Amino acid sequence: MVNVKLHGNLSLKIFRSIDSIDKNEWDLGIEKDDFYMRYDFLDITEKSVLNVHSYYYIMIFDKSNKIANVVLFSLKLDLLNMVSNSAKNVISRIRKIWNNSFYINMLFCGLPVSVVDNSIRIFDRKYTKDIMYSIDRIVKKIIKDEKIKITFFKDFNDNELEWVKCIENKSYKLISGLPSNDFTVKWNSFDEYVKCLRGKYRNSLRKVLEKRNNLEIRVLENDTAVFDDCFYNLYEQVNGASEFQLEKLSIDFFKKTLDSKSFSTKLITIEKDNILLGHISIIELEDKFVPLFIGIEKTLNKKYDTYFNLVYKILEVAMQEKKKIVKCGQTADFFKRKIGCMPINVWWYIYITSPLIRPFTEKIFSKLFPPIADYKFEIFEK
């Protein structure tokens, strides 16, 4: 138990396992579509993310009135998974001499999966500063107990910075995260979308779609979807090739997400002659699609344009089902901008425990993720 005197007259309940929490009490105040922070999704993540050391589920109260939910987690991060490929080679050579180098105890105020959403829910904004300062006190106690070297508050958008920036008074440094991408659905059908594209973008898309003729693309609902070792292998191919790896998910994450009765899901698959080429799982909300993690047979991706065909199929199904937004996530910015996505700033706060190395380390992490690239595309006909 973390014993902390909170800011002002607030009190807290803090739990180290989701199993110890009353589901109804935790979900109180959390909107239905805010599935990342609801009990059922947190239950799945705790039991299927492989590299987390500790969880802290926090509810903050003013008397009997719950005013905030917060999720923290800690892990020993392998810096090999957080640097560019050229830096990976340097670290690998150093580890031949010092085996345990470049592992760092880190604490995150955030979710243990890369879903581009923060883990602070404030139910009454008049308490914002008191809540943020209280979270800081909890974090500083955990830093001491777990010998944490670096702490991140992760995944805030531009609007959310207005209320979270008060922690800058507590030696937290603002840095840019990996930008995200949103696709706004403005068309009644995929054919209508294609016709609105300017010539070179339309021709490029059609070349990709021509490869569909020899592929089997299926859209499975959560009551018919299956996820076996073959599917998981393709996820591991993508995850293993990623330059920036935070979490490692077990196969149970995908099975439990697709089996969940708490939210609707789809699984899009692409096959060729009964060989699985790629897949992506989607959580379906009332007005949006939220694609989660993708799997690709890397050796055949270029031949069949598997990744591009998966993305275009997501957009096609979203238009068929009259969704308003597709959350296209991070990475592949250049391609996503060329299909009509709008970039979204993502911000992190970093706290370096040691004041001696704080300026130097902050400078390194401030360059970890590039800002939104200034691509200039005129994609659609005027």
Side-chain angles (χ1 to χ4, degrees):
M1 180 63 69
V2 178
N3 295 313
V4 178
K5 179 175 174 56
L6 295 190
H7 202 272
N9 297 314
L10 306 184
S11 62
L12 68 79
K13 293 181 181 179
I14 186 165
F15 302 90
R16 302 294 298 274
S17 170
I18 195 73
D19 290 334
S20 303
I21 304 173
D22 180 88
K23 176 180 176 179
N24 292 327
E25 184 178 34
W26 178 267
D27 282 346
L28 182 66
I30 304 289
E31 295 181 5
K32 184 178 180 181
D33 276 0
D34 189 8
F35 68 93
Y36 293 139
M37 281 292 287
R38 292 184 70 83
Y39 181 97
D40 288 336
F41 189 79
L42 294 173
D43 181 59
I44 291 172
T45 58
E46 180 182 314
K47 294 168 183 174
S48 56
V49 178
L50 298 175
N51 55 337
V52 172
H53 177 263
S54 301
Y55 287 95
Y56 300 88
Y57 301 98
I58 301 161
M59 290 182 279
I60 300 176
F61 297 83
D62 180 9
K63 299 180 180 178
S64 62
N65 180 36
K66 188 178 74 165
I67 57 175
N69 282 18
V70 185
V71 178
L72 310 174
F73 69 95
S74 67
L75 51 79
K76 178 172 284 189
L77 190 67
D78 184 353
L79 283 188
L80 195 71
N81 296 329
M82 291 292 289
V83 297
S84 64
N85 288 326
S86 59
K88 281 181 169 66
N89 294 329
V90 175
I91 292 176
S92 296
R93 288 196 294 269
I94 293 173
R95 280 187 177 165
K96 291 180 180 179
I97 303 172
W98 295 289
N99 291 336
N100 295 320
S101 57
F102 295 97
Y103 291 95
I104 298 179
N105 291 338
M106 291 188 173
L107 178 67
F108 291 83
C109 179
L111 297 165
V113 289
S114 299
V115 292
V116 200
D117 196 358
N118 71 80
S119 67
I120 301 171
R121 296 296 182 270
I122 298 175
F123 306 120
D124 190 334
R125 287 292 170 194
K126 73 181 181 182
Y127 294 99
T128 296
K129 185 173 288 188
D130 283 344
I131 289 170
M132 294 307 300
Y133 287 172
S134 295
I135 296 171
D136 171 68
R137 290 184 179 182
I138 297 168
V139 164
K140 298 294 174 57
K141 181 64 166 61
I142 296 171
I143 287 172
K144 183 178 179 180
D145 291 346
E146 292 200 22
K147 297 180 172 58
I148 300 294
K149 303 301 183 185
I150 302 176
T151 301
F152 290 105
F153 282 54
K154 72 186 188 83
D155 295 336
F156 298 92
N157 62 37
D158 288 339
N159 293 330
E160 290 164 343
L161 284 184
E162 290 300 314
W163 55 263
V164 75
K165 66 182 181 182
C166 61
I167 63 170
E168 293 176 10
N169 299 328
K170 303 294 183 178
S171 299
Y172 293 84
K173 172 75 171 178
L174 181 67
I175 62 174
S176 62
L178 196 62
S180 186
N181 297 273
D182 282 4
F183 183 90
T184 301
V185 179
K186 304 174 183 177
W187 304 270
N188 295 317
S189 69
F190 192 69
D191 287 340
E192 183 181 322
Y193 161 74
V194 174
K195 290 176 183 177
C196 288
L197 293 170
R198 294 174 69 92
K200 68 176 182 178
Y201 300 106
R202 184 167 59 249
N203 293 336
S204 177
L205 184 152
R206 283 175 172 165
K207 288 179 182 178
V208 172
L209 296 184
E210 284 176 3
K211 298 184 180 182
R212 280 190 183 185
N213 297 331
N214 299 313
L215 303 174
E216 182 181 1
I217 302 180
R218 296 189 296 166
V219 181
L220 306 173
E221 305 294 335
N222 57 335
D223 58 345
T224 60
V226 294
F227 201 99
D228 58 18
D229 290 340
C230 182
F231 283 75
Y232 188 65
N233 173 263
L234 300 194
Y235 156 73
E236 287 192 306
Q237 288 188 43
V238 174
N239 187 66
S242 174
E243 281 198 350
F244 304 105
Q245 301 168 32
L246 178 59
E247 75 283 310
K248 172 69 173 179
L249 303 174
S250 72
I251 191 172
D252 285 342
F253 175 85
F254 301 95
K255 289 182 175 181
K256 291 177 179 179
T257 300
L258 291 169
D259 287 343
S260 176
K261 304 305 180 185
S262 299
F263 37 79
S264 179
T265 60
K266 296 182 186 297
L267 179 66
I268 297 178
T269 65
I270 298 182
E271 295 182 8
K272 170 66 175 176
D273 298 331
N274 295 320
I275 297 174
L276 183 65
L277 302 178
H279 62 79
I280 189 164
S281 50
I282 300 169
I283 290 184
E284 181 178 5
L285 305 179
E286 183 176 352
D287 63 350
K288 67 185 66 160
F289 275 172
V290 185
L292 292 176
F293 297 94
I294 194 169
I296 298 284
E297 176 52 64
K298 304 284 283 187
T299 61
L300 298 173
N301 182 44
K302 188 173 182 180
K303 180 177 181 179
Y304 296 110
D305 282 334
T306 310
Y307 174 75
F308 297 150
N309 270 305
L310 280 171
V311 173
Y312 286 132
K313 190 63 179 180
I314 293 170
L315 301 186
E316 181 180 351
V317 177
M319 293 170 194
Q320 289 172 352
E321 301 199 3
K322 309 303 179 187
K323 302 301 180 184
K324 296 179 181 179
I325 297 287
V326 179
K327 308 291 289 185
C328 289
Q330 297 163 302
T331 71
D333 288 355
F334 187 77
F335 165 68
K336 290 172 182 176
R337 295 281 285 277
K338 288 175 68 175
I339 66 174
C341 286
M342 290 298 296
I344 307 296
N345 282 315
V346 176
W347 301 100
W348 290 29
Y349 276 99
I350 183 173
Y351 175 80
I352 309 299
T353 304
S354 171
L356 295 178
I357 65 169
R358 188 173 295 158
F360 170 72
T361 312
E362 286 177 348
K363 187 174 182 178
I364 292 175
F365 277 94
S366 68
K367 299 181 182 299
L368 183 62
F369 300 117
I372 290 176
D374 188 23
Y375 302 130
K376 299 291 186 183
F377 298 126
E378 293 186 11
I379 302 168
F380 301 107
E381 299 281 6
K382 294 182 179 179

